[in-house]
Amino acid sequence: QVQLVESGGGLVKPGGSLRLSCAASGFTFSDYYMSWIRQAPGKGLEWVSYISSSGSTIYYADSVKGRFTISRDNAKNSLYLQMNSLRAEDTAVYYCARDPKGDYGMDVWGQGTTVTVSS
Amino acid sequence: QSALTQPASVSGSPGQSITISCTGTSSDVGSYNLVSWYQQHPGKAPKLMIYEVSKRPSGVSNRFSGSKSGNTASLTISGLQAEDEADYYCCSYAGSRGVFGGGTKLTVL
């Protein structure tokens, strides 16, 4: 079945780094745009980053620009989010999501991975 | 990057209809017919309920419908059921970014 599984979350100190992964299965990963979305504890959803099917087009929210890097490996059916210079306000559940048309209409979501930034 | 504006909460009784609004600007909601709506139950991942303003994915009940007028999009749920109680988020295409609403908690009385 169509599935996205995130991994790589954990506890990290402010200023530290973390790399999230999202493993896709059940569909042709290379055909789809993908996004990362996060949700701080008790808060709403926040779009973080977007990558086109080929990886040639990438966008970031202002809140993470210059600190986070999205990438994908279509041969491995995997999406990544490299997070550097982490701040307390980056603490959240991070979801990866499939975006069939690249218009932020995200039809498949993973279960999320939790990132906690704290000293 | 301002979020879209949604009411914090709405409520309704079983069988009734409710509407959740989502107000943006001419740079997002007003410029594109690319508004989506997501349902999120506590501790769960969001689920796509409406895309491209008014289209329903396969498997989503036809009790859910979407519309848009100007800078405001709306989600209507008819024939409210207990399982509809959840948080609802709108999201709009805004070119090089996506923008979510702050979320609306729906309570079924």
Side-chain angles (χ1 to χ4, degrees):
Chain A
Q1 74 279 24
V2 174
Q3 193 173 10
L4 296 170
V5 178
E6 301 95 336
S7 61
L11 175 63
V12 61
K13 288 181 168 53
S17 298
L18 213 53
R19 188 195 197 206
L20 305 184
S21 298
C22 170
S25 59
F27 65 98
T28 305
F29 179 69
S30 58
D31 285 348
Y32 290 86
Y33 301 81
M34 298 292 296
S35 278
W36 286 99
I37 300 96
R38 68 184 180 183
Q39 187 170 34
K43 302 296 185 182
L45 300 173
E46 179 189 15
W47 171 80
V48 172
S49 184
Y50 157 115
I51 187 168
S52 63
S53 54
S54 67
S56 60
T57 300
I58 287 174
Y59 301 134
Y60 297 100
D62 286 349
S63 58
V64 306
K65 201 172 293 183
R67 300 187 299 122
F68 289 13
T69 302
I70 191 172
S71 62
R72 65 190 297 160
D73 185 335
N74 287 341
K76 294 184 177 180
N77 293 331
S78 293
L79 175 73
Y80 306 102
L81 187 67
Q82 177 67 43
M83 304 186 296
N84 298 331
S85 303
L86 283 162
R87 307 166 179 165
E89 53 265 35
D90 295 319
T91 294
V93 175
Y94 284 74
Y95 297 99
C96 63
R98 187 179 81 168
D99 184 351
K101 297 183 180 180
D103 59 8
Y104 310 104
M106 293 160 286
D107 66 342
V108 178
W109 294 61
Q111 85 289 350
T113 187
T114 300
V115 173
T116 303
V117 183
S118 174
S119 55
Chain B
Q1 294 178 335
S2 300
L4 307 177
T5 300
Q6 298 181 231
S9 63
V10 298
S11 62
S13 299
Q16 289 185 331
S17 295
I18 63 96
T19 297
I20 299 171
S21 62
C22 169
T23 301
T25 69
S26 58
S27 297
D28 39 61
V29 175
S31 286
Y32 310 98
N33 289 323
L34 295 172
V35 176
S36 50
W37 288 90
Y38 301 88
Q39 176 192 65
Q40 187 180 35
H41 287 108
K44 300 295 187 182
K47 174 186 176 183
L48 179 66
M49 305 303 285
I50 295 288
Y51 67 100
E52 294 176 4
V53 174
S54 60
K55 297 179 180 178
R56 272 181 289 105
S58 174
V60 172
S61 171
N62 59 9
R63 297 185 299 105
F64 291 83
S65 62
S67 62
K68 192 189 88 166
S69 177
N71 294 339
T72 298
S74 299
L75 173 71
T76 297
I77 308 174
S78 59
L80 268 180
Q81 298 180 359
E83 58 261 37
D84 299 332
E85 185 162 296
D87 293 326
Y88 291 84
Y89 295 90
C90 61
C91 180
S92 177
Y93 178 91
S96 60
R97 64 186 179 101
V99 57
F100 279 95
T104 298
K105 181 175 181 58
L106 169 61
T107 300
V108 180
L109 302 171

